Amino acid sequence: QLQAVDEWIQSNCLDHKWSEKVLVNKEVGYAGRADTLLDHQEHGLTLVDFKTQDVKKTPRGKWTPRYYDKFVFQLAAYAECLDVQPRLLSLVINNNADEVYEKLWTEEEALEAMDVFKHIHAVWCHDKKYYPAKHQEVSA
């Protein structure tokens, strides 16, 4: 699997910007660690999130990764922390074969995902009675 990822990187990455970077959004009140930002040969500046997955085969024998909404929610939230808006890409690493699969999210999917993420975040804050953005304003 590591070899498959390395081959993907060698084939697609023109320039590596950073990996495992903590990103913070003080305005909304969240943070997380993004996997990598790179210059992709086809997509340009791209924020990549690596996902290992127990990929299953279809009845016809084709490996079929699953892409969940939460993948793009996470990427969109990380991208919102950046000064530039990269393309968003989920890279699924197959636990059952030495293969990787990429899903490039559309700009429309990214915009919708950020909108949904903000609503989910608001519900989380309400449930926990904890509002990180307001807490940040008070302590600043």
Side-chain angles (χ1 to χ4, degrees):
Q1 292 141 338
L2 290 175
Q3 184 175 346
V5 171
D6 184 58
E7 288 172 7
W8 181 88
I9 290 169
Q10 296 303 319
S11 297
N12 294 287
C13 181
L14 298 176
D15 185 33
H16 174 259
K17 305 299 185 185
W18 49 255
S19 291
E20 294 292 319
K21 185 171 184 176
V22 173
L23 300 174
V24 179
N25 186 314
K26 292 180 181 179
E27 183 181 322
V28 179
Y30 64 87
R33 185 180 308 270
D35 287 347
T36 194
L37 183 68
L38 54 83
D39 187 12
H40 189 283
Q41 70 170 355
E42 185 179 342
H43 311 308
L45 189 64
T46 305
L47 185 61
V48 180
D49 189 44
F50 298 96
K51 299 290 189 192
T52 55
Q53 192 176 104
D54 186 24
V55 178
K56 305 291 186 200
K57 284 187 176 181
T58 65
R60 294 180 181 235
K62 181 181 177 199
W63 293 109
T64 307
R66 295 174 312 278
Y67 300 98
Y68 300 101
D69 289 342
K70 64 183 177 180
F71 292 1
V72 68
F73 295 165
Q74 180 183 22
L75 280 164
Y78 290 155
E80 188 77 9
C81 299
L82 301 173
D83 293 333
V84 295
Q85 289 304 298
R87 302 296 304 271
L88 306 181
L89 188 137
S90 295
L91 191 74
V92 172
I93 303 164
N94 188 345
N95 282 335
N96 301 310
D98 295 336
E99 295 184 7
V100 296
Y101 317 93
E102 63 176 71
K103 161 75 171 157
L104 183 70
W105 301 93
T106 67
E107 186 176 333
E108 293 77 23
E109 289 169 321
L111 291 170
E112 181 180 355
M114 190 60 211
D115 188 46
V116 171
F117 176 85
K118 286 180 181 178
H119 290 292
I120 292 168
H121 179 269
V123 170
W124 181 89
C125 290
H126 176 77
D127 285 350
K128 302 294 182 191
K129 305 293 186 244
Y130 177 66
Y131 301 89
K134 290 182 183 177
H135 179 71
Q136 177 65 29
E137 291 172 9
V138 171
S139 63

